[in-house]
Amino acid sequence: MTVGGKRLRAVALAAAVLFGAAAPVPAAAHPRESGPLQCQGTESISYHPGLTLRPRHIHVTVDGRFASCVGGDGAVKSGGYHEEFTLFTGCNNLLEGFRTRRKYTWDTGDSSTADITGSSTAVAGQVVTPVTGTVTHGRFHGRNLLQLIPVPQPGALQCLSGGVTGATGPTVLAISAA
């Protein structure tokens, strides 16, 4: 995927700050989890009722699945997350920023809860959302994370007709080293 120069620089700067200049967590806090964790997967978003040009209350369901994770202590191989919430939105204002708490559940049976922030930008037919945050509870506690989520941008015809009912795209997650 090609991203605009300004957006790419902003994401690169965020990653450098997040992983290069972050204050280290004492090794004793995570004795078995010294390396960074990297995961690849997909995120699916559904909207009910479908998004149209006219803003209205929309129930949003987000399902993220990481089919492949490497690093950390080697124990986490996959994971995911699920969220449901209601927004007053339409096709024209999907790019607003947000702040929330996300719970990642791992195949090891434990989880990581993170306070995250993000905002989206329309780039080359995609809605690109970089998410940054800090794990506040559970596995990887105290570590920083960066998640990138590009999904197809809603088309004008979809927004004018019955509405956009969903989108799916790839996602990558990186959790910093201890």
Side-chain angles (χ1 to χ4, degrees):
M1 168 178 57
T2 303
V3 237
K6 284 185 180 180
R7 188 55 164 178
L8 184 56
R9 283 190 298 274
V11 170
L13 178 61
V17 168
L18 187 64
F19 297 110
V25 175
H30 306 285
R32 295 179 35 220
E33 303 169 3
S34 59
L37 178 74
Q38 297 180 359
C39 299
Q40 296 180 355
T42 58
E43 180 174 287
S44 297
I45 308 163
S46 64
Y47 307 103
H48 184 75
L51 294 169
T52 62
L53 290 176
R54 187 187 58 133
R56 58 186 170 174
H57 289 284
I58 305 287
H59 181 80
V60 181
T61 303
V62 178
D63 282 301
R65 300 285 175 250
F66 298 113
S68 172
C69 296
V70 296
D73 66 353
V76 172
K77 303 295 185 203
S78 63
Y81 53 96
H82 175 85
E83 299 167 342
E84 293 188 37
F85 49 91
T86 300
L87 293 174
F88 187 78
T89 192
C91 285
N92 288 335
N93 57 350
L94 274 177
L95 305 178
E96 295 180 2
F98 62 89
R99 176 180 304 269
T100 191
R101 182 166 283 170
R102 175 170 285 170
K103 182 178 180 180
Y104 298 92
T105 303
W106 308 113
D107 63 326
T108 56
D110 55 356
S111 62
S112 301
T113 301
D115 289 336
I116 60 172
T117 60
S119 63
S120 302
T121 301
V123 179
Q126 300 282 316
V127 175
V128 180
T129 307
V131 174
T132 59
T134 302
V135 178
T136 57
H137 296 92
R139 184 179 278 272
F140 308 115
H141 181 264
R143 297 189 190 194
N144 296 315
L145 68 82
L146 172 65
Q147 183 176 359
L148 296 175
I149 309 158
V151 295
Q153 186 173 4
L157 288 177
Q158 290 175 297
C159 294
L160 288 170
S161 63
V164 177
T165 58
T168 298
T171 184
V172 293
L173 171 70
I175 298 179
S176 67

